[in-house]
Amino acid sequence: MKTDDFNSPDFYQIDDLLSDEHKIIRSSIRDFVKTEITPHIESWYEEAIFPEHIVERLGSIGAFGPYLPSKYGGAGLDYLSYGLIMQEIERGDSGMRSTASVQSSLVMYPIFKFGSEEQKGKYLPKLASGEMLGCFGLTEPDHGSDPSSMKTHYKEEGEHIILDGSKMWISNAALADIAIVWAKNEAGRIHGIIVERGMEGFSTPSTHGKWSLRASSTGELVFQNVKVPKSNILPNKSGLGAPLMCLDSARYGIAWGAIGAAMDCYEAARKYASERKQFGKPISKFQLTQKKLAEMLTEITKAQLLNLRLGQLMNDGNASTYQISMAKRNNVNTALNIARESRQILGAMGITNQFPIMRHMMNLESVVTYEGTHDIHLLILGKEITGESAFF
Ligand code: TGC
Ligand code: FAD
């Protein structure tokens, strides 16, 4: 069995800016990843298995909704803690982090922010413990970057609504007990609806043939005249702004998570370079290898500082969508470049599953697309800078 002796690079002594509590949380999640994810991830990935038991395990270590109050099963932690948890889990695998961030930011967060007291009491504690798994349905087959044009809709019928349409590319769809579904009412206004597994006309086919996020389950949500009680509508916010608020929280977690994957690639490449000999000396003696490693560490350090400051702004309630977009876009792109450079340092060995690099690289190809593509985040920033929308 592979040993995992990962330690995160800290070139700018950023640890000095974290509290003891932050460091304890990071260390406990890191230990969890070392014992419960690293030893199995390559075979789950190769066999395209989502390890269902991991849901309750993630719940037990507090990875679901850590920033929610304890009244609802959360741990009342701050956003730096949430970021560190995402960083450590994605260091293990982006698919595992996907499960944690969908559950936390895209399922628990909207119920907490927009739900009724009854909805919060009914779902949040079970979601926090991992007894229940959720998913988030915004993307449709014909509407990805442009969710405002979604077709999924509902009409009112007495105490129920009748929901029709479909969602695609939904993480955890096939396993989720509940789905937070975004759909338009008869006036064309977007609302969030809690759809439960077992409701007649609701099905969740799996998506196969992915070369990315293979240890994560992806699927569709299909609604054919699904009768949902009106009381399952999230009452406290409507409009596209509601799902976009959830995305802010999830994109923040991804900005941290991606750097976890980058650190894992960098550490694997650094160690390999000191052990692998060519032309009679370790390849770490070659200037071109040193250039790669120096540039990787520089980019990781810049991204760590971006995350730290963004986390402070999140804690103060002052982080803007645009700041979050910048961090998501920069850090995922940085991680993808670092995965590619690390792979080069390992030569042929870099393409095997004896090292985590190629898996991280393939995962990051999804991460750079979901939660807003690299180019959509550039346009979100462009709109903020110029005041002009490139979308409409
Ligand atoms: P736009 O006109 O900019 O905004 C529409 C309305 O929303 C308001 N708003 C916000 N409100 C709160 N928080 C925010 N962050 C907000 N951003 C915008 C805005 O004020 C407006 O309100 P109102 O009252 O004027 O109507 O919208 P737009 O249609 O121009 O589109 C904006 C755009 C393209 C940036 C947005 O739609 C977008 O971000 N597209 C990307 C789609 C996306 O990210 N999808 C993600 C799906 S979920 C996912 O990928 C999960 S992967 C999970 C995993 O496995 O980890
Ligand atoms: P499109 O929107 O069709 O974009 C295709 C290309 O066109 C991209 O390069 C894009 O940048 C570019 N483009 C689009 N519009 C513009 C423009 N105005 N200007 C310039 N370029 C543009 N969604 C969910 O709702 N829930 C989930 O849980 C979820 N999980 C996912 C899991 C995985 C593994 C993946 C891969 C996706 C997941 N998604 C989920 C969907 C994801 O959010 C979408 O894939 C993403 O928003 C992009 O949409 P699209 O794939 O339809 O691409």
Side-chain angles (χ1 to χ4, degrees):
M1 190 171 288
K2 246 189 269 180
T3 51
D4 179 354
D5 54 1
F6 174 79
N7 224 335
S8 46
D10 183 21
F11 199 65
Y12 261 47
Q13 296 156 31
I14 296 169
D15 272 10
D16 293 351
L17 305 174
L18 301 176
S19 67
D20 287 345
E21 188 187 29
H22 291 138
K23 286 182 238 175
I24 290 167
I25 290 165
R26 182 181 60 189
S27 147
S28 73
I29 306 289
R30 186 170 295 172
D31 289 347
F32 171 84
V33 168
K34 286 182 180 183
T35 54
E36 303 212 22
I37 295 182
T38 310
H40 314 289
I41 187 62
E42 300 299 345
S43 62
W44 292 337
Y45 205 82
E46 193 168 346
E47 291 162 38
I49 291 171
F50 173 72
E52 290 182 41
H53 74 275
I54 212 77
V55 175
E56 285 202 2
R57 297 296 300 125
L58 287 168
S60 73
I61 58 163
F64 294 151
Y67 51 75
L68 295 190
S70 54
K71 180 179 169 194
Y72 299 117
L77 299 178
D78 69 355
Y79 272 94
L80 285 171
S81 306
Y82 179 51
L84 288 164
I85 293 170
M86 295 298 122
Q87 173 188 294
E88 293 304 315
I89 297 177
E90 190 147 4
R91 208 276 300 175
D93 186 71
S94 303
M96 301 299 110
R97 196 270 308 137
S98 262
T99 298
S101 55
V102 168
Q103 184 92 334
S104 299
S105 289
L106 300 181
V107 178
M108 298 176 73
Y109 177 90
I111 295 174
F112 176 67
K113 279 279 177 191
F114 319 136
S116 64
E117 215 37 60
E118 196 193 337
Q119 290 166 342
K120 291 182 207 180
K122 180 172 176 191
Y123 298 109
L124 289 178
K126 287 185 179 167
L127 289 162
S129 68
E131 190 186 326
M132 237 183 202
L133 182 68
C135 68
F136 176 89
L138 182 66
T139 306
E140 299 191 346
D142 294 329
H143 307 283
S145 298
D146 174 21
S148 68
S149 302
M150 68 173 67
K151 290 281 178 286
T152 301
H153 62 281
Y154 66 91
K155 62 179 184 210
E156 297 194 8
E157 217 175 73
E159 282 312 299
H160 289 84
I161 57 165
I162 306 295
L163 181 65
D164 274 291
S166 64
K167 301 286 175 182
M168 198 174 175
W169 298 114
I170 308 304
S171 301
N172 298 336
L175 306 161
D177 302 287
I178 60 167
I180 303 295
V181 178
W182 300 94
K184 287 181 177 168
N185 67 10
E186 287 162 275
R189 183 91 182 149
I190 294 172
H191 286 262
I193 301 157
I194 305 170
V195 179
E196 297 186 7
R197 182 167 298 285
M199 288 180 167
E200 208 180 323
F202 174 41
S203 58
T204 57
S206 292
T207 301
H208 297 289
K210 291 182 300 168
W211 289 119
S212 177
L213 289 183
R214 287 174 61 79
S216 166
S217 164
T218 314
E220 295 169 53
L221 305 175
V222 181
F223 315 102
Q224 290 174 313
N225 289 321
V226 183
K227 195 172 168 187
V228 185
K230 263 189 191 161
S231 57
N232 281 30
I233 296 177
L234 299 174
N236 295 330
K237 188 163 172 71
S238 63
L240 187 61
L244 289 179
M245 275 174 71
C246 307
L247 293 181
D248 278 350
S249 172
R251 290 166 177 172
Y252 167 75
I254 289 176
W256 282 84
I259 294 309
M263 289 178 192
D264 207 33
C265 294
Y266 165 79
E267 278 300 307
R270 189 184 59 78
K271 281 186 204 140
Y272 187 86
S274 63
E275 287 159 12
R276 174 72 175 170
K277 289 198 177 106
Q278 288 294 289
F279 301 97
K281 47 189 170 183
I283 60 170
S284 59
K285 270 185 99 66
F286 299 128
Q287 289 179 0
L288 289 177
T289 308
Q290 291 184 7
K291 175 176 186 287
K292 287 187 177 70
L293 291 170
E295 286 178 351
M296 284 186 221
L297 183 58
T298 305
E299 292 307 315
I300 286 172
T301 304
K302 283 153 67 179
Q304 285 173 321
L305 290 167
L306 202 57
N307 281 342
L308 179 81
R309 179 63 188 138
L310 186 61
Q312 292 168 340
L313 291 169
M314 293 285 288
N315 281 345
D316 295 343
N318 286 332
S320 72
T321 293
Y322 313 103
Q323 290 165 330
I324 294 168
S325 273
M326 182 184 278
K328 191 272 183 184
R329 179 175 187 272
N330 179 76
N331 292 7
V332 178
N333 193 50
T334 293
L336 203 41
N337 288 336
I338 287 173
R340 288 173 182 149
E341 289 292 271
S342 301
R343 215 288 303 149
Q344 298 251 25
I345 289 179
L346 269 75
M349 284 310 288
I351 72 160
T352 71
N353 68 2
Q354 290 182 46
F355 294 90
I357 298 174
M358 193 80 184
R359 174 171 51 78
H360 283 309
M361 192 197 298
M362 293 192 290
N363 282 340
L364 289 163
E365 289 292 344
S366 283
V367 182
V368 81
T369 286
Y370 68 34
E371 303 267 7
T373 69
H374 189 66
D375 286 344
I376 289 296
H377 285 294
L378 178 133
L379 297 175
I380 291 173
L381 284 168
K383 183 177 169 189
E384 169 66 0
I385 295 164
T386 65
E388 303 284 355
S389 170
F391 301 118
F392 296 105

